[in-house]
Amino acid sequence: MKFRILIILFLAVVSCKPPEARYPVTQNSGSYIDQSVQRNKQLLSQEEAYIQEIIEQDSTRNYIASNSGFWYFYNQKNTDSINTEMPEFGDIVVFDYNISTLDGQPIYAEGEKPTKEYAVDQEKLFSGLREGLKLMKEGETVTFLFPSYKAFGYYGDKAKIGTNVPITAKVTLHSINTETNNESNN
């Protein structure tokens, strides 16, 4: 009996060692991510060069470079000194837009997209348009040139716009219902 207890005690002491870490069979060095970053930088560089080429060839318009990485020009500018408000967080804006390629081929023609009501920065909208609307005043029509990362990026819109397609969007801002107006109407 003592012998069995000694064996059980011995096995218990020997088997109580800390667990050993299991290491992966293969290790990735992150080279795929590095390659992806390089591809994206190259793609952006090509798109920006193409947009600059378009701008240089068009001497009839005054293009403005935004701080957000896209370009735009006014088709119709609001020169009214009274109405100078631009949309801010929470404001409700009503606008129309159409989308075409940088070459001018329509993707979504004028009137194909319904008039949209949008709560600024509170609803989904592609990043370029979301930022572009904040640069507009009521009654203005602006044409934006978006590199693909500011448009629909890698995924496209899953309908007519494919992967990494830079676009032109012509936007008309019909009205801005400011957050203070929203609160007083409730």
Side-chain angles (χ1 to χ4, degrees):
M1 186 73 171
K2 285 184 178 183
F3 182 69
R4 284 187 180 179
I5 293 175
L6 284 175
I7 290 177
I8 293 173
L9 188 60
F10 175 74
L11 289 175
V13 169
V14 172
S15 65
C16 290
K17 62 178 186 170
E20 292 182 22
R22 295 178 9 182
Y23 296 100
V25 176
T26 60
Q27 292 181 331
N28 291 334
S29 64
S31 62
Y32 174 77
I33 293 173
D34 294 338
Q35 290 171 355
S36 178
V37 167
Q38 289 306 316
R39 271 193 313 272
N40 288 336
K41 284 182 179 180
Q42 184 180 13
L43 176 66
L44 177 60
S45 176
Q46 290 170 348
E47 290 176 0
E48 286 179 344
Y50 186 56
I51 290 172
Q52 287 301 323
E53 186 179 311
I54 290 170
I55 291 171
E56 289 170 8
Q57 291 176 358
D58 186 3
S59 61
T60 61
R61 295 185 177 101
N62 181 25
Y63 287 86
I64 303 166
S66 76
N67 293 333
S68 301
F70 58 86
W71 294 261
Y72 63 100
F73 64 87
Y74 289 92
N75 300 80
Q76 181 179 338
K77 189 168 183 158
N78 182 347
T79 57
D80 184 8
S81 61
I82 296 171
N83 189 3
T84 59
E85 287 186 25
M86 293 181 177
E88 295 177 358
F89 179 84
D91 292 347
I92 306 296
V93 295
V94 177
F95 66 97
D96 285 317
Y97 69 105
N98 62 56
I99 297 175
S100 60
T101 64
L102 291 178
D103 296 332
Q105 299 299 316
I107 298 173
Y108 292 104
E110 204 162 324
E112 191 171 345
K113 289 269 193 191
T115 299
K116 184 158 179 64
E117 191 172 285
Y118 165 69
V120 176
D121 290 337
Q122 294 182 334
E123 296 178 46
K124 288 182 101 175
L125 197 62
F126 69 90
S127 70
L129 186 53
R130 186 173 59 241
E131 295 164 8
L133 282 168
K134 291 188 244 178
L135 299 173
M136 297 178 69
K137 297 175 190 165
E138 199 171 281
E140 291 184 333
T141 300
V142 177
T143 299
F144 297 97
L145 283 73
F146 297 118
S148 62
Y149 83 96
K150 282 293 179 186
F152 293 92
Y154 179 76
Y155 293 104
D157 74 342
K158 297 188 171 61
K160 292 184 175 185
I161 300 173
T163 298
N164 296 325
V165 176
I167 61 170
T168 300
K170 184 177 177 185
V171 181
T172 301
L173 182 57
H174 298 292
S175 66
I176 303 170
N177 189 5
T178 62
E179 192 173 271
T180 54
N181 289 348
N182 293 339
E183 291 170 2
S184 65
N185 290 338
N186 289 333

